[in-house]
Amino acid sequence: MREVAEDYVEVVLDLVQRIPPGRATTYGVLAEAARERTGKGSARTVGTVMAQYGGGVPWWRVVTASGAAAERVAGRAIELLRSEGVAMTRHDPPRVDLTEAGWEPWEDGSQM
């Protein structure tokens, strides 16, 4: 895996920490928010940050644009999301219903 700048890692982890229980967001939304603060990054870079450093934050609340959990952790992520009452679709495997449970960093009114 590639190296990611420490400041970017900190921003992404801070954003993930702010996702409330019962909600989820996408790699792309996090990338957009991180770009507002750092001027750099992409959804793929957010995925790299989560894979390398995400163990100490609620990583299961970060999903793909389709609402699917990351493939390598999907079973555990779905279990944790369901335990928090996150709205899920009827897909197989299930996905987060982002229209119901989607979270965006700017919706809580706090400064980015």
Side-chain angles (χ1 to χ4, degrees):
M1 286 194 180
R2 64 184 185 169
E3 271 301 307
V4 180
E6 187 175 323
D7 65 326
Y8 191 83
V9 170
E10 289 177 16
V11 167
V12 170
L13 295 179
D14 175 63
L15 289 165
V16 174
Q17 192 65 42
R18 291 175 41 206
I19 305 168
R23 306 289 297 277
T25 196
T26 68
Y27 295 97
V29 167
L30 292 175
E32 183 180 342
R35 270 193 307 276
E36 287 182 18
R37 291 166 88 177
T38 67
K40 59 188 170 193
S42 66
R44 189 173 301 264
T45 307
V46 170
T48 299
V49 169
M50 295 306 297
Q52 292 180 355
Y53 307 101
V57 296
W59 53 268
W60 59 92
R61 296 179 189 152
V62 183
V63 296
T64 68
S66 70
E71 192 172 315
R72 68 181 184 82
V73 294
R76 181 70 177 136
I78 297 299
E79 182 181 305
L80 290 165
L81 290 163
R82 282 187 168 149
S83 74
E84 292 183 351
V86 173
M88 306 294 284
T89 67
R90 295 182 186 261
H91 287 89
D92 186 24
R95 298 177 184 171
V96 171
D97 182 342
L98 292 168
T99 59
E100 292 288 321
W103 176 83
E104 295 180 344
W106 39 86
E107 77 181 38
D108 64 9
S110 64
Q111 290 290 335
M112 290 292 301

